[in-house]
PDB file of all heavy atoms in Angstrom:
ATOM      1  N   GLY A1408      13.239 -20.744  83.260  1.00 98.00           N
ATOM      2  CA  GLY A1408      12.872 -21.999  83.371  1.00 98.00           C
ATOM      3  C   GLY A1408      12.325 -22.599  84.569  1.00 98.00           C
ATOM      4  O   GLY A1408      11.981 -23.719  84.811  1.00 98.00           O
ATOM      5  N   ASN A1409      12.273 -21.665  85.609  1.00 97.00           N
ATOM      6  CA  ASN A1409      11.827 -22.168  86.948  1.00 97.00           C
ATOM      7  C   ASN A1409      10.483 -22.841  86.897  1.00 97.00           C
ATOM      8  O   ASN A1409      10.340 -23.809  87.675  1.00 97.00           O
ATOM      9  CB  ASN A1409      11.762 -20.974  87.986  1.00 97.00           C
ATOM     10  CG  ASN A1409      13.108 -20.430  88.293  1.00 97.00           C
ATOM     11  OD1 ASN A1409      14.131 -21.070  87.990  1.00 97.00           O
ATOM     12  ND2 ASN A1409      13.217 -19.297  88.926  1.00 97.00           N
ATOM     13  N   GLY A1410       9.502 -22.329  86.215  1.00 96.00           N
ATOM     14  CA  GLY A1410       8.221 -22.908  86.225  1.00 96.00           C
ATOM     15  C   GLY A1410       8.154 -24.301  85.691  1.00 96.00           C
ATOM     16  O   GLY A1410       7.235 -25.100  85.965  1.00 96.00           O
ATOM     17  N   ALA A1411       9.058 -24.606  84.815  1.00 97.00           N
ATOM     18  CA  ALA A1411       9.179 -25.954  84.263  1.00 97.00           C
ATOM     19  C   ALA A1411      10.185 -26.823  84.942  1.00 97.00           C
ATOM     20  O   ALA A1411      10.489 -27.918  84.503  1.00 97.00           O
ATOM     21  CB  ALA A1411       9.525 -25.848  82.727  1.00 97.00           C
ATOM     22  N   GLY A1412      10.760 -26.349  86.069  1.00 97.00           N
ATOM     23  CA  GLY A1412      11.653 -27.121  86.803  1.00 97.00           C
ATOM     24  C   GLY A1412      13.107 -27.081  86.344  1.00 97.00           C
ATOM     25  O   GLY A1412      13.935 -27.930  86.803  1.00 97.00           O
ATOM     26  N   PHE A1413      13.441 -26.016  85.552  1.00 98.00           N
ATOM     27  CA  PHE A1413      14.829 -25.886  85.064  1.00 98.00           C
ATOM     28  C   PHE A1413      15.423 -24.705  85.797  1.00 98.00           C
ATOM     29  O   PHE A1413      14.823 -23.547  85.759  1.00 98.00           O
ATOM     30  CB  PHE A1413      14.859 -25.620  83.576  1.00 98.00           C
ATOM     31  CG  PHE A1413      14.417 -26.849  82.781  1.00 98.00           C
ATOM     32  CD1 PHE A1413      13.258 -26.642  81.943  1.00 98.00           C
ATOM     33  CD2 PHE A1413      14.884 -28.087  82.892  1.00 98.00           C
ATOM     34  CE1 PHE A1413      12.726 -27.782  81.236  1.00 98.00           C
ATOM     35  CE2 PHE A1413      14.411 -29.169  82.210  1.00 98.00           C
ATOM     36  CZ  PHE A1413      13.298 -29.022  81.341  1.00 98.00           C
ATOM     37  N   THR A1414      16.662 -24.779  86.369  1.00 98.00           N
ATOM     38  CA  THR A1414      17.338 -23.707  87.084  1.00 98.00           C
ATOM     39  C   THR A1414      18.189 -22.924  86.091  1.00 98.00           C
ATOM     40  O   THR A1414      18.618 -23.446  85.040  1.00 98.00           O
ATOM     41  CB  THR A1414      18.180 -24.250  88.239  1.00 98.00           C
ATOM     42  OG1 THR A1414      19.175 -25.041  87.728  1.00 98.00           O
ATOM     43  CG2 THR A1414      17.211 -25.113  89.138  1.00 98.00           C
ATOM     44  N   ASP A1415      18.612 -21.724  86.603  1.00 98.00           N
ATOM     45  CA  ASP A1415      19.634 -21.009  85.851  1.00 98.00           C
ATOM     46  C   ASP A1415      20.890 -21.760  85.745  1.00 98.00           C
ATOM     47  O   ASP A1415      21.605 -21.762  84.613  1.00 98.00           O
ATOM     48  CB  ASP A1415      19.933 -19.664  86.565  1.00 98.00           C
ATOM     49  CG  ASP A1415      18.860 -18.713  86.477  1.00 98.00           C
ATOM     50  OD1 ASP A1415      17.868 -18.871  85.679  1.00 98.00           O
ATOM     51  OD2 ASP A1415      18.914 -17.579  87.106  1.00 98.00           O
ATOM     52  N   ALA A1416      21.291 -22.568  86.729  1.00 98.00           N
ATOM     53  CA  ALA A1416      22.492 -23.410  86.653  1.00 98.00           C
ATOM     54  C   ALA A1416      22.347 -24.396  85.535  1.00 98.00           C
ATOM     55  O   ALA A1416      23.404 -24.778  84.889  1.00 98.00           O
ATOM     56  CB  ALA A1416      22.720 -24.060  87.984  1.00 98.00           C
ATOM     57  N   ASP A1417      21.187 -24.942  85.282  1.00 98.00           N
ATOM     58  CA  ASP A1417      20.985 -25.948  84.262  1.00 98.00           C
ATOM     59  C   ASP A1417      21.392 -25.284  82.914  1.00 98.00           C
ATOM     60  O   ASP A1417      21.909 -26.031  81.964  1.00 98.00           O
ATOM     61  CB  ASP A1417      19.550 -26.415  84.143  1.00 98.00           C
ATOM     62  CG  ASP A1417      19.190 -27.253  85.432  1.00 98.00           C
ATOM     63  OD1 ASP A1417      20.071 -27.925  85.923  1.00 98.00           O
ATOM     64  OD2 ASP A1417      17.960 -27.287  85.786  1.00 98.00           O
ATOM     65  N   TYR A1418      21.025 -24.066  82.741  1.00 98.00           N
ATOM     66  CA  TYR A1418      21.309 -23.357  81.492  1.00 98.00           C
ATOM     67  C   TYR A1418      22.798 -22.951  81.404  1.00 98.00           C
ATOM     68  O   TYR A1418      23.398 -23.023  80.256  1.00 98.00           O
ATOM     69  CB  TYR A1418      20.390 -22.117  81.355  1.00 98.00           C
ATOM     70  CG  TYR A1418      18.931 -22.474  80.992  1.00 98.00           C
ATOM     71  CD1 TYR A1418      17.956 -22.459  81.991  1.00 98.00           C
ATOM     72  CD2 TYR A1418      18.551 -22.921  79.768  1.00 98.00           C
ATOM     73  CE1 TYR A1418      16.664 -22.816  81.781  1.00 98.00           C
ATOM     74  CE2 TYR A1418      17.169 -23.308  79.517  1.00 98.00           C
ATOM     75  CZ  TYR A1418      16.327 -23.256  80.526  1.00 98.00           C
ATOM     76  OH  TYR A1418      15.022 -23.626  80.257  1.00 98.00           O
ATOM     77  N   THR A1419      23.320 -22.431  82.495  1.00 98.00           N
ATOM     78  CA  THR A1419      24.778 -22.123  82.371  1.00 98.00           C
ATOM     79  C   THR A1419      25.565 -23.374  82.145  1.00 98.00           C
ATOM     80  O   THR A1419      26.610 -23.283  81.412  1.00 98.00           O
ATOM     81  CB  THR A1419      25.221 -21.390  83.651  1.00 98.00           C
ATOM     82  OG1 THR A1419      24.939 -22.224  84.843  1.00 98.00           O
ATOM     83  CG2 THR A1419      24.555 -20.091  83.780  1.00 98.00           C
ATOM     84  N   ASP A1420      25.245 -24.564  82.758  1.00 98.00           N
ATOM     85  CA  ASP A1420      25.917 -25.776  82.418  1.00 98.00           C
ATOM     86  C   ASP A1420      25.801 -26.166  80.977  1.00 98.00           C
ATOM     87  O   ASP A1420      26.645 -26.855  80.442  1.00 98.00           O
ATOM     88  CB  ASP A1420      25.351 -26.942  83.316  1.00 98.00           C
ATOM     89  CG  ASP A1420      25.708 -26.804  84.836  1.00 98.00           C
ATOM     90  OD1 ASP A1420      26.506 -26.049  85.108  1.00 98.00           O
ATOM     91  OD2 ASP A1420      25.045 -27.476  85.655  1.00 98.00           O
ATOM     92  N   ALA A1421      24.714 -25.656  80.303  1.00 98.00           N
ATOM     93  CA  ALA A1421      24.489 -26.010  78.902  1.00 98.00           C
ATOM     94  C   ALA A1421      25.254 -24.917  78.002  1.00 98.00           C
ATOM     95  O   ALA A1421      25.275 -25.122  76.755  1.00 98.00           O
ATOM     96  CB  ALA A1421      23.094 -26.035  78.583  1.00 98.00           C
ATOM     97  N   GLY A1422      25.854 -23.912  78.678  1.00 98.00           N
ATOM     98  CA  GLY A1422      26.603 -22.970  77.864  1.00 98.00           C
ATOM     99  C   GLY A1422      25.965 -21.711  77.583  1.00 98.00           C
ATOM    100  O   GLY A1422      26.457 -20.822  76.882  1.00 98.00           O
ATOM    101  N   ALA A1423      24.734 -21.521  78.219  1.00 98.00           N
ATOM    102  CA  ALA A1423      24.026 -20.306  77.942  1.00 98.00           C
ATOM    103  C   ALA A1423      24.449 -19.275  78.931  1.00 98.00           C
ATOM    104  O   ALA A1423      24.937 -19.455  80.093  1.00 98.00           O
ATOM    105  CB  ALA A1423      22.482 -20.528  78.171  1.00 98.00           C
ATOM    106  N   ALA A1424      24.285 -17.970  78.614  1.00 98.00           N
ATOM    107  CA  ALA A1424      24.470 -16.802  79.406  1.00 98.00           C
ATOM    108  C   ALA A1424      23.128 -16.444  80.135  1.00 98.00           C
ATOM    109  O   ALA A1424      22.023 -16.668  79.561  1.00 98.00           O
ATOM    110  CB  ALA A1424      25.004 -15.535  78.687  1.00 98.00           C
ATOM    111  N   ILE A1425      23.224 -15.873  81.314  1.00 98.00           N
ATOM    112  CA  ILE A1425      21.984 -15.478  82.051  1.00 98.00           C
ATOM    113  C   ILE A1425      22.039 -13.954  82.248  1.00 98.00           C
ATOM    114  O   ILE A1425      23.066 -13.418  82.624  1.00 98.00           O
ATOM    115  CB  ILE A1425      21.929 -16.212  83.518  1.00 98.00           C
ATOM    116  CG1 ILE A1425      22.051 -17.683  83.330  1.00 98.00           C
ATOM    117  CG2 ILE A1425      20.687 -15.773  84.208  1.00 98.00           C
ATOM    118  CD1 ILE A1425      20.819 -18.323  82.642  1.00 98.00           C
ATOM    119  N   VAL A1426      20.917 -13.292  81.983  1.00 98.00           N
ATOM    120  CA  VAL A1426      20.752 -11.901  82.192  1.00 98.00           C
ATOM    121  C   VAL A1426      19.466 -11.771  83.088  1.00 98.00           C
ATOM    122  O   VAL A1426      18.599 -12.580  83.216  1.00 98.00           O
ATOM    123  CB  VAL A1426      20.648 -11.035  80.997  1.00 98.00           C
ATOM    124  CG1 VAL A1426      21.896 -11.122  80.122  1.00 98.00           C
ATOM    125  CG2 VAL A1426      19.387 -11.535  80.081  1.00 98.00           C
ATOM    126  N   GLU A1427      19.343 -10.581  83.723  1.00 98.00           N
ATOM    127  CA  GLU A1427      18.261 -10.371  84.685  1.00 98.00           C
ATOM    128  C   GLU A1427      16.973  -9.954  84.131  1.00 98.00           C
ATOM    129  O   GLU A1427      15.938 -10.396  84.565  1.00 98.00           O
ATOM    130  CB  GLU A1427      18.825  -9.343  85.729  1.00 98.00           C
ATOM    131  CG  GLU A1427      19.772  -9.751  86.699  1.00 98.00           C
ATOM    132  CD  GLU A1427      19.365 -10.991  87.492  1.00 98.00           C
ATOM    133  OE1 GLU A1427      18.206 -10.963  88.002  1.00 98.00           O
ATOM    134  OE2 GLU A1427      20.190 -11.877  87.713  1.00 98.00           O
ATOM    135  N   THR A1428      17.052  -9.228  83.001  1.00 98.00           N
ATOM    136  CA  THR A1428      15.781  -8.584  82.553  1.00 98.00           C
ATOM    137  C   THR A1428      15.484  -9.003  81.112  1.00 98.00           C
ATOM    138  O   THR A1428      16.404  -9.333  80.337  1.00 98.00           O
ATOM    139  CB  THR A1428      15.829  -7.019  82.670  1.00 98.00           C
ATOM    140  OG1 THR A1428      16.777  -6.557  81.738  1.00 98.00           O
ATOM    141  CG2 THR A1428      16.127  -6.638  84.054  1.00 98.00           C
ATOM    142  N   ALA A1429      14.164  -8.814  80.771  1.00 98.00           N
ATOM    143  CA  ALA A1429      13.667  -9.117  79.382  1.00 98.00           C
ATOM    144  C   ALA A1429      14.327  -8.143  78.385  1.00 98.00           C
ATOM    145  O   ALA A1429      14.733  -8.551  77.294  1.00 98.00           O
ATOM    146  CB  ALA A1429      12.209  -9.150  79.305  1.00 98.00           C
ATOM    147  N   PRO A1430      14.362  -6.875  78.735  1.00 98.00           N
ATOM    148  CA  PRO A1430      15.001  -5.880  77.736  1.00 98.00           C
ATOM    149  C   PRO A1430      16.373  -6.272  77.383  1.00 98.00           C
ATOM    150  O   PRO A1430      16.812  -6.129  76.156  1.00 98.00           O
ATOM    151  CB  PRO A1430      14.939  -4.521  78.499  1.00 98.00           C
ATOM    152  CG  PRO A1430      13.760  -4.678  79.322  1.00 98.00           C
ATOM    153  CD  PRO A1430      13.675  -6.088  79.783  1.00 98.00           C
ATOM    154  N   GLU A1431      17.078  -6.839  78.353  1.00 98.00           N
ATOM    155  CA  GLU A1431      18.496  -7.356  77.991  1.00 98.00           C
ATOM    156  C   GLU A1431      18.473  -8.457  76.945  1.00 98.00           C
ATOM    157  O   GLU A1431      19.456  -8.549  76.117  1.00 98.00           O
ATOM    158  CB  GLU A1431      19.283  -7.750  79.248  1.00 98.00           C
ATOM    159  CG  GLU A1431      19.538  -6.640  80.245  1.00 98.00           C
ATOM    160  CD  GLU A1431      20.131  -7.164  81.524  1.00 98.00           C
ATOM    161  OE1 GLU A1431      19.308  -7.464  82.443  1.00 98.00           O
ATOM    162  OE2 GLU A1431      21.407  -7.258  81.598  1.00 98.00           O
ATOM    163  N   VAL A1432      17.483  -9.317  77.038  1.00 98.00           N
ATOM    164  CA  VAL A1432      17.334 -10.328  76.086  1.00 98.00           C
ATOM    165  C   VAL A1432      16.970  -9.849  74.679  1.00 98.00           C
ATOM    166  O   VAL A1432      17.597 -10.123  73.664  1.00 98.00           O
ATOM    167  CB  VAL A1432      16.359 -11.394  76.523  1.00 98.00           C
ATOM    168  CG1 VAL A1432      16.084 -12.475  75.481  1.00 98.00           C
ATOM    169  CG2 VAL A1432      16.743 -12.025  77.924  1.00 98.00           C
ATOM    170  N   PHE A1433      15.949  -8.970  74.609  1.00 98.00           N
ATOM    171  CA  PHE A1433      15.431  -8.475  73.369  1.00 98.00           C
ATOM    172  C   PHE A1433      16.462  -7.561  72.708  1.00 98.00           C
ATOM    173  O   PHE A1433      16.572  -7.510  71.461  1.00 98.00           O
ATOM    174  CB  PHE A1433      14.135  -7.627  73.617  1.00 98.00           C
ATOM    175  CG  PHE A1433      12.864  -8.565  73.791  1.00 98.00           C
ATOM    176  CD1 PHE A1433      12.586  -9.134  74.984  1.00 98.00           C
ATOM    177  CD2 PHE A1433      12.146  -8.838  72.662  1.00 98.00           C
ATOM    178  CE1 PHE A1433      11.487  -9.964  75.092  1.00 98.00           C
ATOM    179  CE2 PHE A1433      10.987  -9.635  72.760  1.00 98.00           C
ATOM    180  CZ  PHE A1433      10.675 -10.261  73.960  1.00 98.00           C
ATOM    181  N   GLU A1434      17.209  -6.829  73.408  1.00 97.00           N
ATOM    182  CA  GLU A1434      18.122  -5.815  72.842  1.00 97.00           C
ATOM    183  C   GLU A1434      19.347  -6.494  72.091  1.00 97.00           C
ATOM    184  O   GLU A1434      19.793  -5.973  71.085  1.00 97.00           O
ATOM    185  CB  GLU A1434      18.759  -4.917  73.962  1.00 97.00           C
ATOM    186  CG  GLU A1434      17.743  -3.924  74.429  1.00 97.00           C
ATOM    187  CD  GLU A1434      18.278  -3.213  75.686  1.00 97.00           C
ATOM    188  OE1 GLU A1434      19.472  -3.461  76.131  1.00 97.00           O
ATOM    189  OE2 GLU A1434      17.557  -2.485  76.415  1.00 97.00           O
ATOM    190  N   THR A1435      19.673  -7.723  72.503  1.00 96.00           N
ATOM    191  CA  THR A1435      20.919  -8.292  72.046  1.00 96.00           C
ATOM    192  C   THR A1435      20.653  -9.434  71.051  1.00 96.00           C
ATOM    193  O   THR A1435      21.507  -9.809  70.191  1.00 96.00           O
ATOM    194  CB  THR A1435      21.822  -8.778  73.145  1.00 96.00           C
ATOM    195  OG1 THR A1435      21.122  -9.719  73.957  1.00 96.00           O
ATOM    196  CG2 THR A1435      22.275  -7.666  74.024  1.00 96.00           C
TER     197      THR A1435
END
């Protein structure tokens, strides 16, 4: 979300998990 002005913290505050890579997103 950085390019749109949203930080990782904004997403964790919303209850989302953060992973480092795209394969981790696609795999799960």
